[in-house]
Amino acid sequence: MEKYQVLKQYFGYTSFKEGQEELVDSILAGWDVLGIMPTGAGKSICYQVPALCMGGITIVVSPLISLMMDQVKALNQAGVHAAYINSSLTENQIAKALQNATMGQYKIIYVAPERLETERFLYFALNADISMVTIDEAHCISQWGQDFRPSYLKILQFIDRLPVRPIVSAFTATATTVVRKDILEILCLQNPKVLVTGFDRENLFFEVRTGKNKDDQLLHYLQNHLEESGIIYCATRKNVEKVCEFLESRGLPVTRYHAGLSPQERKENQEDFIYDRKPIVVATNAFGMGIDKSNVRYVVHYNMPQSLENYYQEAGRAGRDGMSAECVILYSPQDVHINKYLIENRGENSELTEEQAELVLKNDRERLWAMAGYCKTNYCLREYILRYFGTSRWQDISGKYCGNCSVCVNASERQEYDTYGYKDFWDEYDAYESNGYTGVVYDEKKDIVYFGAKYEKMGAGRGIGPNIGGGKGAGKQSAYGTGVYGESAVNKRGAGSETFSVEQLTEKQQELFKQLKALRLRIAKAVSLPPYMIFTDKTLLEMSVKCPTNKQEMLQISGVGENKYQRYGEDFEEVILQHL
Ligand code: ADP
Ligand code: MG
């Protein structure tokens, strides 16, 4: 099938998002690819569409069971034959799944990296027609990434054993140069197309609040966001318990998640959240990878996280559907101390050598300082993040406001945005960097502004900067891609443009939106699926505005594909007709 046909029929979209089409085209032309796109940018489509266009099977390596289950459920909803093989299945179920796979029943198979080494899976793979191996969350391969998984290192061995080398595609949201280089080198990507999309998530509003009483602030915030779904991240289990109890006592529909709960309870709580039975979850960072819930409207960090990598990933879980959403940190200086303590007392990781452990610790500390800098900066928060990841909105910051972060919103109101300081600050960082200086950058008041350290490459002793601070603009990006694609690092559109929100609807449209959501919830309950897997908020919002009442009109709505239409289309038409 042709790519646009696949996109429309299975996923209900008529156009690709930034970067998707280039990656799909490269794969279809037989190239290896590395796609670096922020959380919520739509990486899955980049390999799922070609997987369906090509003959043979695509194997997707994924780090978490919950992530695989979520993806496979969503694919099955879209009418795609997909399966996962992991430790949640019994040996009998695995045998059955592999038997089905051998008979060509699945186009896409998700596996944990450990699975690739097992006899049974290898036997299957050696005798199957495998067109592509995809490595999702590919940063797990790098000890410089925040979720290093040594078993990812074995993926290459697996690929090398296959009788015909498949196309290899890798995807991650981690954009630092070291991690990117590790992925390319360790996976031995052949002549790959590397594509880095803009890291700007325009629909996200960023805010740092520094008030005294976090509980009061949080409560006040949530009372202004009733009926919306959101995540509240805390640094420790104890905090999760405390905050959850507090919110419960105030009558909010909240659940909790951390590694101290039994697996059963974690599963139940996660489902309560995903199925919108308890639309608010208080959690440690154990929660989230594998949560593709698209209607998360806010992510509040009750404590500052340990790194901007973590922060952008966690905050990025807001607004995956493209509608406006908020990312708020409730910052107190205490958070820096808590995190420092957590980093320094993490316990031994037996998978690492002593030297490796030391370097991981050093890098973690440096990441923490950069994070602290974000909470204290007087500069555009969006720009701060983008520069950390090696991109930028503006070459020259003077007089520019993103208009969608707390600093810029307040600055433009107060008319006292200190552009001089901003430029000065990055110049200073650049100077430090080019002198190979490693250390903290202070402002006059000796507050930490930013930590300008260089990362060291393990063993070799080479200094490879993670592009922190990124220098002046996107031009500084180094391209590993050898193909025709340059790296589109700058996102030209203004923040907040092209985003939708419920407030923009008329009263009558809002009423319909409510009814459509209610219908979605009824269907979701009946078929035991999370509501967002039936249709996303964005899809329902578009229906509320365009009021489609027949198949042709319905299929024009973004997110309504052939399969979904057949399953649910008429039910939604009926509600719309009644409303009209
Ligand atoms: P990532 O893995 O990059 O974090 P996902 O693959 O989970 O992102 O996709 C995020 C959201 O974007 C999903 O809700 C998905 O349905 C939506 N999406 C992906 N591609 C498109 C597209 N071409 N048009 C509209 N929505 C899309
Ligand atoms: Mg993903």
Side-chain angles (χ1 to χ4, degrees):
M1 241 203 276
E2 192 266 338
K3 63 183 178 186
Y4 277 106
Q5 215 180 331
V6 167
L7 187 68
K8 183 64 214 170
Q9 166 152 352
Y10 292 106
F11 303 100
Y13 303 132
T14 43
S15 61
F16 286 102
K17 298 216 280 189
E18 186 192 350
Q20 285 180 333
E21 189 164 17
E22 288 91 325
L23 287 163
V24 169
D25 285 346
S26 299
I27 292 172
L28 291 177
W31 297 94
D32 283 359
V33 305
L34 169 58
I36 299 176
M37 302 157 93
T39 308
K43 289 184 282 294
S44 319
I45 291 280
C46 299
Y47 58 85
Q48 288 167 351
V49 167
L52 295 171
C53 294
M54 296 188 289
I57 299 168
T58 289
I59 292 177
V60 182
V61 182
S62 170
L64 286 181
I65 290 176
S66 58
L67 201 63
M68 298 182 214
M69 289 177 162
D70 207 64
Q71 297 262 336
V72 167
K73 256 191 215 163
L75 283 171
N76 290 342
Q77 272 302 295
V80 175
H81 297 280
Y84 54 80
I85 296 175
N86 60 39
S87 58
S88 76
L89 304 180
T90 63
E91 282 302 312
N92 275 342
Q93 288 172 318
I94 291 176
K96 180 89 185 109
L98 285 176
Q99 194 187 346
N100 290 343
T102 307
M103 296 192 312
Q105 283 198 9
Y106 308 123
K107 284 298 286 178
I108 305 179
I109 300 173
Y110 284 78
V111 295
E114 295 80 13
R115 183 67 41 189
L116 302 175
E117 297 175 273
T118 62
E119 282 299 313
R120 206 180 235 170
F121 190 80
L122 258 175
Y123 181 79
F124 151 74
L126 293 180
N127 295 290
D129 172 16
I130 294 170
S131 49
M132 176 160 72
V133 172
T134 293
I135 297 95
D136 202 7
E137 311 291 350
H139 59 277
C140 292
I141 211 166
S142 170
Q143 50 204 353
W144 306 102
Q146 68 279 25
D147 306 299
F148 179 42
R149 286 277 297 267
S151 51
Y152 261 61
L153 297 170
K154 307 258 172 73
I155 296 172
L156 182 67
Q157 277 172 34
F158 169 77
I159 293 171
D160 282 346
R161 288 191 62 169
L162 297 175
V164 181
R165 188 181 182 280
I167 295 167
V168 180
S169 57
F171 298 89
T172 176
T174 300
T176 53
T177 321
V178 242
V179 171
R180 195 192 310 178
K181 197 160 178 294
D182 268 1
I183 296 171
L184 292 169
E185 284 175 1
I186 298 170
L187 286 173
C188 286
L189 294 187
Q190 292 179 5
N191 218 8
K193 310 293 185 190
V194 180
L195 189 95
V196 187
T197 63
F199 260 62
D200 199 354
R201 292 280 308 281
E202 297 167 17
N203 58 323
L204 300 185
F205 176 79
F206 292 97
E207 178 170 12
V208 177
R209 296 191 185 189
T210 46
K212 282 246 149 54
N213 189 329
K214 289 192 183 189
D215 285 346
D216 284 352
Q217 288 197 44
L218 181 61
L219 187 62
H220 186 246
Y221 183 88
L222 295 180
Q223 281 165 344
N224 282 320
H225 291 79
L226 296 174
E227 303 209 12
E228 289 181 352
S229 181
I231 306 174
I232 297 149
Y233 279 109
C234 298
T236 61
R237 296 175 193 180
K238 219 170 94 190
N239 265 356
V240 168
E241 293 292 339
K242 194 191 74 160
V243 171
C244 184
E245 211 167 280
F246 167 67
L247 296 177
E248 232 163 21
S249 75
R250 301 302 149 102
L252 289 162
V254 55
T255 185
R256 70 203 203 289
Y257 190 102
H258 59 69
L261 304 175
S262 71
Q264 177 64 20
E265 194 178 351
R266 266 185 309 203
K267 183 162 172 278
E268 282 169 14
N269 293 357
Q270 177 167 323
E271 285 184 356
D272 279 346
F273 174 69
I274 287 177
Y275 288 73
D276 279 337
R277 292 188 289 257
K278 300 263 178 73
I280 306 171
V281 64
V282 185
T284 60
N285 62 2
F287 180 80
M289 225 223 264
I291 306 295
D292 283 350
K293 189 176 199 282
S294 67
N295 65 335
V296 175
R297 295 269 68 86
Y298 56 84
V299 172
V300 175
H301 279 77
Y302 188 85
N303 302 108
M304 181 192 84
Q306 282 179 11
S307 69
L308 275 167
E309 282 92 339
N310 283 345
Y311 182 59
Y312 210 43
Q313 191 166 49
E314 287 160 15
R317 294 187 179 121
R320 273 180 193 263
D321 53 16
M323 285 168 45
S324 44
E326 299 187 350
C327 310
V328 182
I329 297 182
L330 305 177
Y331 171 80
S332 84
Q334 182 69 14
D335 292 337
V336 184
H337 299 297
I338 296 177
N339 279 312
K340 195 156 166 286
Y341 179 84
L342 289 174
I343 286 173
E344 284 166 5
N345 296 278
R346 202 161 20 201
E348 306 242 315
N349 180 346
S350 54
E351 287 175 300
L352 302 177
T353 65
E354 205 174 301
E355 189 196 7
Q356 284 175 328
E358 219 166 84
L359 270 163
V360 166
L361 179 65
K362 178 168 173 283
N363 288 333
D364 281 347
R365 277 201 198 112
E366 292 172 1
R367 281 195 265 262
L368 175 60
W369 293 128
M371 184 70 240
Y374 173 86
C375 293
K376 304 184 102 185
T377 188
N378 288 318
Y379 310 113
C380 172
L381 296 177
R382 185 179 304 279
E383 181 71 6
Y384 188 102
I385 294 172
L386 294 178
R387 291 200 180 206
Y388 180 80
F389 288 118
T391 71
S392 70
R393 287 172 69 83
W394 309 298
Q395 301 247 339
D396 176 8
I397 188 85
S398 318
K400 308 271 200 337
Y401 311 107
C402 80
N404 204 20
C405 79
S406 55
V407 174
C408 286
V409 168
N410 293 330
S412 44
E413 277 167 10
R414 291 198 316 264
Q415 296 292 318
E416 51 182 53
Y417 193 66
D418 180 7
T419 52
Y420 172 76
Y422 193 96
K423 195 167 172 312
D424 216 34
F425 165 66
W426 290 109
D427 281 349
E428 192 183 350
Y429 173 73
D430 264 6
Y432 278 113
E433 194 191 40
S434 55
N435 291 329
Y437 180 84
T438 301
V440 181
V441 181
Y442 291 102
D443 72 6
E444 301 100 276
K445 285 178 256 113
K446 293 288 173 231
D447 266 352
I448 296 164
V449 176
Y450 202 84
F451 197 80
K454 282 197 171 191
Y455 287 40
E456 269 174 59
K457 177 80 177 169
M458 204 150 301
R462 287 175 285 153
I464 296 172
N467 241 341
I468 291 188
K472 295 169 217 70
K476 214 177 163 185
Q477 286 258 314
S478 57
Y480 284 97
T482 48
V484 290
Y485 299 111
E487 303 196 18
S488 55
V490 187
N491 203 324
K492 289 155 247 74
R493 291 164 296 178
S497 68
E498 288 189 1
T499 61
F500 301 89
S501 67
V502 183
E503 290 83 60
Q504 289 162 351
L505 300 182
T506 66
E507 229 165 83
K508 196 145 185 277
Q509 289 167 338
Q510 290 201 19
E511 181 51 39
L512 178 56
F513 183 58
K514 249 194 193 156
Q515 288 174 16
L516 294 176
K517 270 170 78 170
L519 170 64
R520 178 178 66 177
L521 194 61
R522 285 201 297 279
I523 295 176
K525 279 191 177 142
V527 298
S528 299
L529 276 176
Y532 70 89
M533 271 192 203
I534 309 293
F535 287 126
T536 64
D537 280 10
K538 197 176 178 187
T539 299
L540 296 192
L541 197 84
E542 200 180 326
M543 284 186 197
S544 312
V545 175
K546 296 193 177 150
C547 296
T549 52
N550 58 45
K551 181 171 179 183
Q552 195 197 350
E553 287 169 6
M554 237 348 158
L555 287 176
Q556 305 272 308
I557 305 287
S558 173
V560 185
E562 190 69 39
N563 274 287
K564 291 256 182 100
Y565 179 80
Q566 247 147 47
R567 273 174 225 226
Y568 313 120
E570 286 177 1
D571 291 343
F572 283 85
E573 278 169 21
E574 202 173 301
V575 169
I576 294 169
L577 275 168
Q578 272 173 15
H579 174 82
L580 293 175

